[in-house]
Amino acid sequence: MRLPCGIINKSYSQDTAIVRTNLQWLLLVLALITLFTFPYWASPHWISVMIGVWISIIGVMGLTLLTGYAGQLSLGHMAFVAIGAYTVAILMSDLNWPFWAALPCAGMISGCIGVIFGLPSLRIKGFYLVIATLAAQFIIVHIISRWDSLTGGVFGLSVPKVTLGGFEFKSDFSYYFLAMIFALIAILIAKNLSRSRIGRSWIAIRDNDIAAEIMGVDPFKYKLLAFFFGCFFAGIAGGLWAPYLRYLTPEQFTLMGSVWYLGYMVIGGMGSIMGPIAGVIFITILDEFTAEMVTDLATGSPVFAGFVQASRYIVFGLAIILFLIFEPRGIAHRWERIKNSYRLWPFSY
Amino acid sequence: MGENGIKLRAENINLSFGGVEALIDVSFELREHEILAIIGPNGAGKTSLLNCINGFYRPQKGRIMYEGYDLTKVSSHKIAKMGLSRTFQNIALYTGLSTLDNLMAARNIRMRYNVFAAILYFGWAHREEMKHRRVIEDIIEFLEMESIRKKPVGMLPYGQRKRVELGRALALEPKVLLLDEPMAGMNVEEKEDMARFILDTYELKKIPVIIIEHDMGLVMDIADRIVVLDFGRKIAEGTPDEILANHAVINAYLGGE
Ligand SMILES: Nc1ncnc2c1ncn2[C@@H]1O[C@H](COP(=O)(O)OP(=O)(O)O)[C@@H](O)[C@H]1O
Ligand SMILES: [Mg+2]
């Protein structure tokens, strides 16, 4: 990373710090103030949209560690979100566990099942692994929809509210903060993993698995760690969805959901922590405007609902295609380049 | 550590791919203090031999003894931990990482902090990272790579990528260094730099080196001993002078020159 003119690192520690200049500190503080005050000035609709954004960021962050960093492409991410959601729902409603104990459990169970489905990655890669993860998507959701006694099957399962002391997180206003805190923690954990020996080993496996192993990276350990964390994050995202949706059915966790996750990641940028954040925000805003515009155009028409749904998919697909053509490395990469050219201003090269 | 000055001993290595016999009954020793060159025409089996030492290829017959272990039964990443480090004929860097991080990635086996420390980062993980960063900076300085420290290696020119690969091999703190055509495709100046780095490393670290190289002038200059492979067989072994005087080698390999 290039520094603005005149900033000189005085130690390695300073050289690796995330926030390094006064301007960066200022921007960080402004961003945090905006995010923490958001529910006070935003409309109820946008508060609920932002709750979705926070939770999706957690899920996409997991996929980014697994696919973007470790290079293990997954088409079954939504199934692990489902495991997290159902774990929280079952523990809270059947066993009366508090949300705060159920949520970490959701992450762990989802992560461990992810490791099981990750085992084939030790023998197969690329296309064949994609098929294996696709199998995970169908097997897991199939089990959930058939295991009536535990999950309520196709009829679904209702989920209690989250409480803390005497307080109930029942409004969008309060749930916004809950989702945001967990998302910020997830971002921090992902960032730390990515800059540690673990993140470096993941990239080594992604970029050259043979050289990585010969140079001392244990592929068994690091691939399974990637599956664990990727699915752990998915489980936490699911665990946060459950009490927000208040009612779970297997149809909420479709293959299309997994594809949607991949889309967020591709558009944001696969190999960075900024990527998922940028991707989720970009697609969500695009999606919101599409829905609004189509609603204006098509109000009163009998095929209205189907039309809105179809237009969302079309715009989503189009966005992915355009990004793959014009900026295959995603928004985060483009942003990095813009930043670099400004940093050296007025010496522009 | 090895008995009577032998660091590594390959015994009767046989390796075949389907019908192709890549190595036939190859035996050789690497002494504690020497630069051993492996030469031979393309397809002679030189790279395959290194791949056997690294545990990437498994010979059908034979053993490779190192510090009391048979490397043909040890997994690749453990062989790296045992101190065998290597560069590749076709550059095999982690293209998404910077020069610095390519080298840091090789430090993985020397780092001790666990997953939980990595999640917290501050404290243990950070201290270890900084400690290893210091080691890496010494290597960067030694190989004169300061100006490309933060550049993604995918964007570097060929000669510099070869240099980063040597840096990554050194970052492992090897006890044996294996170099597969480290100077292939370089211009004269780059070759001289690389030869100097290899010789300096040998002097400084006092570790044995196996080098595969086609430039005979260079091999004669830097190697203490030479092993000659031809169609998977070892056809000669000896000091540069002995090899130059060997008729089998002249016929099979140096014939035209
Ligand atoms: N992975 C492989 N699969 C099939 N054949 C291989 C493989 N690796 C090497 N060979 C064959 O083994 C022989 C020796 O190759 P190699 O060790 O690369 O030679 P050198 O490095 O001396 O040029 C060649 O005939 C090559 O085609
Ligand atoms: Mg070769």
Side-chain angles (χ1 to χ4, degrees), chain B residues 17 20 22 40-49 57 89 181:
Chain B
F17 300 98
V20 182
N42 275 328
K46 306 179 296 295
T47 299
S48 300
L49 191 54
Y57 289 170
Q89 180 176 353
E181 306 201 14

Side-chain angles (χ1 to χ4, degrees), chain A residues 72 118-124 129 219-221 223-224 227:
Chain A
Q72 312 297 306
L119 285 172
S121 73
L122 304 172
R123 303 300 297 274
I124 57 177
L129 184 63
F220 184 80
K221 176 177 161 189
K223 281 184 185 173
L224 295 188
F227 273 96

Side-chain angles (χ1 to χ4, degrees), chain A residues 220-244:
Chain A
F220 184 80
K221 176 177 161 189
Y222 286 97
K223 281 184 185 173
L224 295 188
L225 261 180
F227 273 96
F228 177 80
F229 278 109
C231 298
F232 179 89
F233 277 58
I236 296 291
L240 282 164
W241 272 126
Y244 181 63

Side-chain angles (χ1 to χ4, degrees), chain B residues 141-152:
Chain B
E141 193 184 338
F142 169 62
L143 295 178
E144 296 158 18
M145 301 192 297
E146 291 91 343
S147 62
I148 55 169
R149 187 191 276 119
K150 295 283 179 84
K151 293 227 172 85

Side-chain angles (χ1 to χ4, degrees), chain B residues 10 15 76 87 115 141 183 197 224:
Chain B
L15 174 76
S76 283
T87 68
V115 178
E141 193 184 338
M183 291 165 252
F197 293 139
D224 297 305

Side-chain angles (χ1 to χ4, degrees), chain A residues 227-298:
Chain A
F227 273 96
F228 177 80
F229 278 109
C231 298
F232 179 89
F233 277 58
I236 296 291
L240 282 164
W241 272 126
Y244 181 63
L245 299 173
R246 303 295 317 279
Y247 202 85
L248 298 180
T249 62
E251 298 98 81
Q252 288 158 339
F253 306 96
T254 56
L255 174 63
M256 190 59 206
S258 291
V259 175
W260 207 271
Y261 272 118
L262 280 172
Y264 286 138
M265 185 181 67
V266 168
I267 287 180
M270 305 237 293
S272 78
I273 296 301
M274 269 307 288
I277 304 169
V280 171
I281 291 175
F282 179 83
I283 299 246
T284 303
I285 290 175
L286 193 67
D287 200 33
E288 282 298 316
F289 282 114
T290 314
E292 204 159 303
M293 264 173 51
V294 174
T295 310
D296 286 348
L297 287 175

Side-chain angles (χ1 to χ4, degrees), chain B residues 108-178:
Chain B
N108 185 43
I109 58 168
R110 309 273 169 230
M111 293 187 183
R112 289 288 158 263
Y113 69 87
N114 60 27
V115 178
F116 302 102
I119 289 173
L120 289 175
Y121 197 79
F122 291 102
W124 186 14
H126 184 246
R127 270 197 314 280
E128 278 236 346
E129 287 281 326
M130 292 308 113
K131 192 176 91 194
H132 290 278
R133 174 78 189 267
R134 239 163 275 138
V135 178
I136 294 303
E137 287 294 336
D138 287 344
I139 296 173
I140 288 179
E141 193 184 338
F142 169 62
L143 295 178
E144 296 158 18
M145 301 192 297
E146 291 91 343
S147 62
I148 55 169
R149 187 191 276 119
K150 295 283 179 84
K151 293 227 172 85
V153 294
M155 283 152 62
L156 296 175
Y158 179 83
Q160 287 188 333
R161 276 184 282 154
K162 281 276 195 197
R163 197 181 285 197
V164 176
E165 259 215 350
L166 178 64
R168 185 179 65 180
L170 295 179
L172 212 72
E173 267 178 48
K175 291 196 236 168
V176 175
L177 192 56
L178 313 171

